[in-house]
Amino acid sequence: MRVTRGRGVLTAVVSTAAVVAGMGWAAPAWAVPGLETVTQSAAESSADKSAFASCPAGKVVTGGGGFLPAGSSAAGRVGLDRLEPLANGTGFFVTMREVGPVNFVGDWGLQAVAQCATTPAGYQVVATTGAVGTEYVTASCGTKKVIGMGGRVNSGLGDVVLDQVVPSFDLTSVTVRAVAVQGTAPAGWSATSIAVCANAPAGLERVALTGASASNPSDHAIKSCPAGKGLFSAGADINAGNGQVLLTAINITGGNTVRVRADEDADGLAGSWSLNGYGICGS
């Protein structure tokens, strides 16, 4: 772990979130019962930070995301290491950290997003933590179905980041990957995969957008649910990033659209990589 300015000091924002409906978007009548999107911003600073988007009373979190605001000069210098639907269903917790041999000197912000809904039948949040240093970890819903996903890095302190949070094709499990960033040799860290489970809701399906492989400084993907369906949760997958491509956004807009982004680190990546986006939809 490098001891430099901002590293290891988390600025957390845990407060009543702003409901997107209050900014002009209301959940359509055809969507997931009670569906609404909630956001919370962390104040800009030059330090690792967290934000918590809280679900309204009477609703539970089904998924969510977190993202670096568009146009931030910190792109490629920060990465997500916690995307967590809390076990008690109260909301979605996000952490983003500065990475790289030298910390980013400017200020940057973070936004957390929670998808909240009327409690589905059989609702349960399952978390599985892998052995120390294990990159890939899977959490299973057993006989239930995955409606939401998340993951976190434990004790990575900016030297390990998430580059995969993906639901299985049959929506029975969630797999996360945690990867050491370029130029680090972290020890004692682990990864946790989190699945939000429920009895299969109406119209449940996984949607995916597979990105093209190329060597670009950044890439983004957008995928919407089929007409008449709302979005339970969102995920992403960086392929061949090799610890040099950082996940900087998993966002949800309009109640039915996944938006994801990744950026090459400050040194860039000579090889090709790609970014996939995932959503779990229902009606």
Side-chain angles (χ1 to χ4, degrees):
M1 177 185 125
R2 297 172 298 282
V3 182
T4 48
R5 187 170 68 87
R7 178 58 51 80
V9 180
L10 282 178
T11 302
V13 174
V14 182
S15 63
T16 301
V19 179
V20 173
M23 298 185 289
W25 177 81
W30 44 256
V32 175
L35 181 72
E36 62 180 288
T37 305
V38 178
T39 65
Q40 176 64 56
S41 300
E44 290 198 357
S45 67
S46 183
D48 299 339
K49 56 183 60 68
S50 295
F52 177 65
S54 177
C55 289
K59 296 186 180 182
V60 294
V61 67
T62 61
F67 62 95
L68 183 71
S72 174
S73 58
R77 302 297 298 275
V78 297
L80 291 162
D81 83 342
R82 184 178 181 184
L83 293 159
E84 184 168 358
L86 295 190
N88 61 8
T90 56
F92 202 90
F93 200 98
V94 179
T95 299
M96 182 173 274
R97 297 183 185 271
E98 297 186 356
V99 302
V102 179
N103 280 3
F104 181 68
V105 297
D107 291 344
W108 54 278
L110 172 66
Q111 288 191 295
V113 180
Q115 282 295 84
C116 307
T118 303
T119 307
Y123 181 84
Q124 178 185 16
V125 180
V126 175
T128 300
T129 299
V132 170
T134 301
E135 289 190 351
Y136 291 93
V137 181
T138 298
S140 174
C141 283
T143 60
K144 298 179 182 179
K145 290 293 187 179
V146 173
I147 61 169
M149 64 196 102
R152 70 171 185 264
V153 178
N154 309 300
S155 302
L157 299 178
D159 289 339
V160 184
V161 291
L162 292 171
D163 81 347
Q164 175 178 319
V165 181
V166 178
S168 63
F169 287 101
D170 60 359
L171 293 179
T172 59
S173 64
V174 174
T175 297
V176 303
R177 184 191 183 206
V179 60
V181 301
Q182 182 190 30
T184 68
W189 63 272
S190 64
T192 298
S193 179
I194 303 164
V196 181
C197 310
N199 299 342
L204 188 69
E205 68 174 292
R206 185 185 95 151
V207 296
L209 178 66
T210 302
S213 182
S215 183
N216 296 318
S218 66
D219 195 10
H220 68 280
I222 301 173
K223 184 68 176 180
S224 295
C225 292
K229 294 190 177 185
L231 185 69
F232 280 113
S233 59
D237 181 13
I238 299 170
N239 299 296
N242 300 322
Q244 292 182 257
V245 180
L246 308 174
L247 187 59
T248 51
I250 296 181
N251 193 11
I252 296 170
T253 59
N256 68 346
T257 300
V258 177
R259 296 174 181 265
V260 299
R261 175 176 171 142
D263 296 273
E264 292 184 356
D265 67 11
D267 298 329
L269 175 63
S272 294
W273 59 278
S274 63
L275 174 67
N276 301 335
Y278 300 89
I280 300 177
C281 307
S283 52

